[in-house]
Amino acid sequence: MEAKIDAVLSKMEIAAEKVELYCNSKVKLPMAELDYLKTLEDARDFMTMMVTKTSDNRQQLADIFGGDCSRIARIRTVLDGVVLSDMNCNDQRVRTCTEACATIEKVLEDMGLGWCLKKACDEQKANLGRRRSSVDREALLAASQAAQAAAQAAEALETEEVPTAPVAEEPPAKASKAADLWAQSFDEDFVKRVLACTEATELHSLEKEALASKSSKTGNWMIWMVHRAHLDDPTLVKFDFTNLKMPEGSVEPLISPKLAVAMESNTHIEQLLMGCTNLQDPEAAILAVSLRSNSSLKVLNIDTNAIQPLTLESIAKGTSVNQALQELRCNNTANGRLVTEAFLHALKSNPMMCKLGYPVTDPYFRGEIDKQLTRNNDAARKRRLEEKRRREAEGDTTSPTSQAGYPAVKASPKAANWPPKLSEAEDKEVKEKAEREKTEKEKAEKEQAEKERAEKEKEEKEKAEREKAETEKAEREKAEREKAEQEKAEQEKAEQEKAEKEKAEKERAEKERAEKEMEERAAKEMEEKERAEKEQAEKEKVEQERAAREQEEKEKAEKEQEKIGKVAAETDKTQIESSDIAKAAPQSIESFLREPLDALPGMVDASGAESGFRGYLYKKSPSARFMKSWDWRFFVVQGQRLVWWRRDHDVPKSAADLAQSDPSGCKGFINFAVSRARVVPDDKNPAVFALEAVDGAWKDGSLKDMSDAQRTFEFDCTDSAHTREEWMAALRALQT
């Protein structure tokens, strides 16, 4: 890390020395400043990296920039001591490097090294004049003096008179192969005569010779063309070196370096075409400076040349200052984000630039550059229209030689003797040719005027017909529109009347329906009232009948109770006597077997049953799926059967109905005449007893529902008018 920053500091100090040394050189200063800016970029990147990398631990930053603080003091001294030209003074690398240096200084002050930093800065500023860089300053001064001497010699050679006879001199030895090849492409004598010319008109006498040697001695023609640009020849409007390889500036300073410097003061060249001409980076940097002062150049082509991004950025900045350049082409040179930003800024700063030949790959900048070019082209079109109207107002129908917004090229007083005078015959021929051309021109203008007048009349006639057709069409459309509006209004009126009529009918129908509903509701209320009164009367009648029936049943039950009591007493007496007999004489097996089966204890015998015993009992439901396991039923002992109904008022009134095999309304019955039954009391519940078939199953016809043939009927006397003993006694009374 320390070796890296030391190398960057050495390069920075050397570049700063070069900027100071070449401050008065238009050729070398741009390149020196670009080298200096490159070292600032390296120093900025290193300082930014150190600040970011040591954000958690500043010890490494203190090891590099701390101690005696000499490194950061050297950077600060160089930044404060170098003054750049107007072209590069606002470069962002100067600002960002200064900000990075200030950040390092702030960190060192926070670490308690502020006093050391101040002392180091004072020492560096005091030793600025005495400190020697790694660049040989004396060699640089010697080179500068040599360059000045060469310039003075060139000026003396230009002012020297052309000798009457060419002096044969040995050409100087060339140091390189390129120099040897270039020496073969020009003639020393011709070059001296070209450089001896101090006026542009003097160069016109050498035009034929320069053009004749263009194919064999390209250098002669190049030097002649560059000297014309140097002398600001008013007839040189288009400077075209396309696809002609120029020598490097170090090999021949009379072409590319001289041309780059000459463009600063040239006021007549409108097109500078330098595509594929071996234009090098130093000469391009000089050209960038010259563009800031040039006010006549409209087209610049530097395609396919060895130009670096920094130099191309400088050219873009130069075009932003130049307000005359309309077209710039720099394809196949260099590119980069900073270059693209510089060209976008140039398009915004120079509204005259309408064409840009530069490859842009970034979609955002491509869109922004296209939009700005569209705006500039619209502005140029408006300027052309304004210029055309101005010429028409002034009565000038001739086309200007320059575009709108730029004055036509005027010849300087120096060109008064050009072209040379002609002989009388040539002058006469020229005049006749001019008159003939004038006559043809007037004839052509007359024909053109007649043609334009005919076209204008035709256009006016077509315009009148078109206006008439449009007027008729508009009137027809207006009539149709009014008719449509009238029909629409009538239709809306009819629809409104229809809607009002439907609304009235609907209201009347609703009113009638409401009246009808009211009448029906009144009739319904009356019917409901009558039905309620009738139901109330029937209910009272039923209550009275039930009360009478209950009273009758109660009296009947009391009589039956007395009768059952007598029967039970007689039965008990008979059983006692039988038991006494049994005790007196034990029963033998043969007598027991001869005893009938229906004489078993608890067996029901329907032969001697008395009818009329009745009352409510709980009967257990045959299935657990019913919600209630016990049903409240009304039972009647009738003849040889036990019959039950849901309620007492369901029992038939007549004895004939009761005597039927299946009395009406009964829920079930047990016919003891068909199947023998046994009465079994429940040992756990004193109110429950059961009836079961002696044979194990009820025979056909003994039950109403024969699906209960295997069933044992269980009864509960709770809430009954009779006790369990009374019910069991009534059933046992059916036994013999």
Side-chain angles (χ1 to χ4, degrees):
M1 289 290 184
E2 295 179 357
K4 183 177 180 180
I5 187 60
D6 289 339
V8 172
L9 286 174
S10 299
K11 292 180 181 179
M12 183 185 296
E13 291 171 348
I14 293 172
E17 291 288 342
K18 289 183 179 180
V19 171
E20 182 182 358
L21 181 63
Y22 300 141
C23 61
N24 296 323
S25 175
K26 293 183 179 180
V27 177
K28 296 182 178 180
L29 179 61
M31 286 303 300
E33 289 185 347
L34 292 178
D35 293 340
Y36 171 71
L37 292 174
K38 182 64 174 64
T39 60
L40 291 188
E41 183 179 356
D42 295 338
R44 177 202 63 193
D45 294 342
F46 183 85
M47 289 187 289
T48 304
M49 182 267 295
M50 290 302 301
V51 171
T52 306
K53 185 177 179 181
T54 61
S55 58
D56 297 332
N57 185 6
R58 298 296 188 185
Q59 185 59 41
Q60 187 177 4
L61 187 143
D63 293 341
I64 295 176
F65 291 103
D68 57 356
C69 300
S70 59
R71 291 190 177 94
I72 193 66
R74 290 168 65 185
I75 296 175
R76 172 57 67 182
T77 303
V78 171
L79 289 173
D80 294 343
V82 175
V83 178
L84 298 176
S85 63
D86 295 339
M87 182 177 66
N88 296 314
C89 62
N90 295 323
D91 194 286
Q92 61 178 354
R93 284 167 288 189
V94 179
R95 176 180 56 81
T96 54
C97 186
T98 304
E99 292 175 354
C101 181
T103 303
I104 298 291
E105 291 174 346
K106 183 67 170 60
V107 173
L108 295 177
E109 290 177 359
D110 294 341
M111 297 176 68
L113 299 175
W115 181 81
C116 294
L117 177 62
K118 186 176 183 302
K119 181 180 178 181
C121 290
D122 294 340
E123 291 178 356
Q124 291 295 329
K125 290 179 181 179
N127 297 331
L128 180 61
R130 300 188 301 271
R131 180 167 47 86
R132 298 180 61 87
S133 66
S134 59
V135 178
D136 190 354
R137 192 175 185 84
E138 294 180 357
L140 291 174
L141 290 174
S144 177
Q145 293 174 0
Q148 293 178 1
Q152 293 175 0
E155 291 178 359
L157 186 61
E158 291 176 1
T159 56
E160 184 181 355
E161 294 183 357
V162 180
T164 56
V167 179
E169 295 181 358
E170 291 293 333
K174 302 299 180 180
S176 64
K177 184 178 179 180
D180 295 338
L181 293 175
W182 171 247
Q184 300 174 6
S185 64
F186 69 93
D187 188 358
E188 290 284 351
D189 179 62
F190 181 79
V191 172
K192 288 181 179 180
R193 284 187 288 139
V194 169
L195 297 178
C197 298
T198 58
E199 298 291 337
T201 54
E202 298 176 5
L203 289 172
H204 295 162
S205 60
L206 302 175
E207 180 178 4
K208 292 183 179 180
E209 186 177 353
L211 293 175
S213 62
K214 182 178 180 181
S215 58
S216 58
K217 298 286 186 179
T218 309
N220 291 345
W221 181 79
M222 285 186 174
I223 294 174
W224 176 73
M225 287 289 292
V226 172
H227 200 58
R228 289 180 65 189
H230 173 71
L231 296 178
D232 197 7
D233 187 355
T235 62
L236 182 60
V237 178
K238 180 178 180 180
F239 191 99
D240 190 359
F241 269 16
T242 304
N243 295 327
L244 295 178
K245 185 177 180 181
M246 298 186 301
E248 296 182 3
S250 59
V251 175
E252 182 54 76
L254 296 178
I255 298 182
S256 57
K258 184 177 180 179
L259 176 62
V261 176
M263 290 305 300
E264 182 178 8
S265 58
N266 190 283
T267 59
H268 294 92
I269 295 178
E270 296 181 358
Q271 298 183 28
L272 181 60
L273 308 180
M274 305 287 289
C276 194
T277 57
N278 194 33
L279 180 65
Q280 298 298 312
D281 203 57
E283 289 76 25
I286 300 171
L287 181 62
V289 178
S290 299
L291 286 176
R292 293 173 174 266
S293 303
N294 188 282
S295 60
S296 62
L297 188 63
K298 298 178 182 178
V299 179
L300 175 61
N301 187 338
I302 53 174
D303 289 341
T304 318
N305 286 299
I307 302 176
Q308 299 299 319
L310 292 177
T311 306
L312 195 59
E313 183 181 353
S314 300
I315 292 175
K317 292 180 179 179
T319 57
S320 64
V321 178
N322 187 315
Q323 295 295 310
L325 193 66
Q326 299 176 2
E327 180 179 349
L328 173 62
R329 298 193 177 277
C330 50
N331 296 293
N332 299 326
T333 52
N335 54 24
R337 184 180 180 86
L338 295 178
V339 179
T340 307
E341 290 179 355
F343 276 121
L344 178 58
H345 180 265
L347 289 172
K348 293 180 179 179
S349 302
N350 183 10
M352 304 298 294
M353 189 182 298
C354 300
K355 294 182 180 180
L356 175 63
Y358 173 73
V360 182
T361 57
D362 188 280
Y364 168 74
F365 286 108
R366 177 75 273 170
E368 292 295 321
I369 289 175
D370 288 343
K371 287 191 289 186
Q372 192 60 43
L373 286 173
T374 303
R375 296 191 189 101
N376 292 353
N377 279 284
D378 289 342
R381 179 180 56 80
K382 293 178 181 178
R383 288 194 297 271
R384 289 195 298 270
L385 291 175
E386 291 176 359
E387 180 65 17
K388 183 178 179 181
R389 295 192 189 99
R390 185 186 63 78
R391 291 199 308 271
E392 290 177 353
E394 294 176 356
D396 184 9
T397 59
T398 59
S399 300
T401 57
S402 62
Q403 295 187 8
Y406 295 95
V409 177
K410 296 181 180 180
S412 64
K414 297 180 181 180
N417 297 327
W418 180 262
K421 295 182 179 180
L422 303 175
S423 62
E424 293 181 0
E426 292 176 345
D427 188 23
K428 184 178 180 181
E429 184 179 353
V430 170
K431 288 181 179 179
E432 290 177 355
K433 184 178 180 180
E435 289 178 358
R436 190 165 54 251
E437 290 177 353
K438 183 178 180 181
T439 304
E440 292 176 355
K441 183 177 180 182
E442 290 176 353
K443 183 178 179 181
E445 290 177 353
K446 186 176 180 181
E447 292 177 354
Q448 182 67 21
E450 291 177 355
K451 185 177 179 181
E452 290 178 355
R453 185 170 61 254
E455 290 179 354
K456 187 174 181 181
E457 291 176 355
K458 184 179 179 181
E459 289 178 357
E460 290 178 354
K461 185 177 180 181
E462 291 177 353
K463 183 178 180 182
E465 292 177 354
R466 188 165 55 253
E467 290 177 352
K468 183 179 179 181
E470 290 177 355
T471 304
E472 293 177 354
K473 183 179 179 181
E475 292 177 354
R476 186 166 59 254
E477 290 178 352
K478 183 178 179 182
E480 292 177 355
R481 187 165 56 252
E482 291 177 353
K483 183 178 179 181
E485 290 177 354
Q486 185 177 0
E487 291 177 354
K488 184 178 180 181
E490 293 177 355
Q491 185 178 359
E492 290 178 352
K493 184 178 180 181
E495 290 178 354
Q496 186 177 2
E497 292 176 354
K498 183 179 179 181
E500 291 177 354
K501 185 177 180 181
E502 291 177 353
K503 184 178 180 181
E505 292 178 354
K506 186 176 180 181
E507 290 177 353
R508 184 170 61 255
E510 289 179 353
K511 185 176 180 181
E512 292 176 355
R513 185 170 60 255
E515 292 176 354
K516 185 176 180 181
E517 289 178 355
M518 188 178 295
E519 292 176 357
E520 291 177 353
R521 187 164 56 252
K524 187 176 181 181
E525 290 177 355
M526 183 63 70
E527 291 177 359
E528 290 178 353
K529 185 176 180 181
E530 292 176 355
R531 185 169 59 254
E533 292 176 353
K534 186 176 180 181
E535 289 178 354
Q536 183 66 23
E538 291 178 354
K539 186 175 181 181
E540 292 177 355
K541 183 179 179 181
V542 170
E543 290 290 339
Q544 292 176 0
E545 291 178 354
R546 185 170 62 252
R549 189 167 56 252
E550 288 178 355
Q551 183 65 28
E552 182 181 353
E553 289 177 354
K554 185 177 181 181
E555 293 175 355
K556 188 176 180 180
E558 290 177 354
K559 292 179 180 180
E560 290 178 353
Q561 184 67 26
E562 292 177 358
K563 185 177 180 180
I564 290 170
K566 293 179 180 180
V567 171
E570 292 177 357
T571 303
D572 293 338
K573 184 178 180 181
T574 305
Q575 290 178 353
I576 292 170
E577 292 176 354
S578 299
S579 61
D580 292 339
I581 295 170
K583 290 178 181 179
Q587 187 177 10
S588 63
I589 295 175
E590 291 79 3
S591 62
F592 176 77
L593 293 175
R594 286 194 302 270
E595 185 177 336
L597 185 61
D598 54 3
L600 293 175
M603 184 178 293
V604 178
D605 185 4
S607 60
E610 296 183 7
S611 62
F613 190 82
R614 61 181 63 190
Y616 280 96
L617 284 175
Y618 285 106
K619 181 179 71 69
K620 190 171 184 179
S621 176
S623 176
R625 62 186 177 89
F626 294 104
M627 187 177 294
K628 296 181 180 180
S629 59
W630 293 86
D631 298 326
W632 184 245
R633 297 289 182 262
F634 188 78
F635 291 84
V636 175
V637 178
Q638 193 277 329
Q640 300 176 350
R641 298 178 300 177
L642 176 63
V643 190
W644 61 89
W645 286 263
R646 188 174 182 276
R647 293 292 181 266
D648 55 350
H649 56 77
D650 297 332
V651 180
K653 304 300 182 182
S654 63
D657 292 337
L658 287 174
Q660 292 180 2
S661 60
D662 187 5
S664 63
C666 74
K667 303 296 290 184
F669 61 82
I670 301 175
N671 192 343
F672 299 111
V674 178
S675 292
R676 293 173 296 176
R678 182 184 297 111
V679 181
V680 181
D682 191 342
D683 297 336
K684 297 180 180 180
N685 193 338
V688 178
F689 67 94
L691 277 176
E692 59 183 13
V694 175
D695 298 331
W698 302 98
K699 297 180 180 180
D700 292 340
S702 59
L703 301 177
K704 182 175 182 178
D705 186 4
M706 289 308 299
S707 62
D708 296 333
Q710 303 294 332
R711 179 182 174 187
T712 298
F713 292 89
E714 298 182 27
F715 304 95
D716 189 349
C717 300
T718 304
D719 299 331
S720 177
H722 310 290
T723 63
R724 184 179 72 170
E725 287 73 13
E726 292 175 349
W727 279 104
M728 291 176 64
L731 293 175
R732 285 172 179 171
L734 300 178
Q735 296 177 353
T736 56

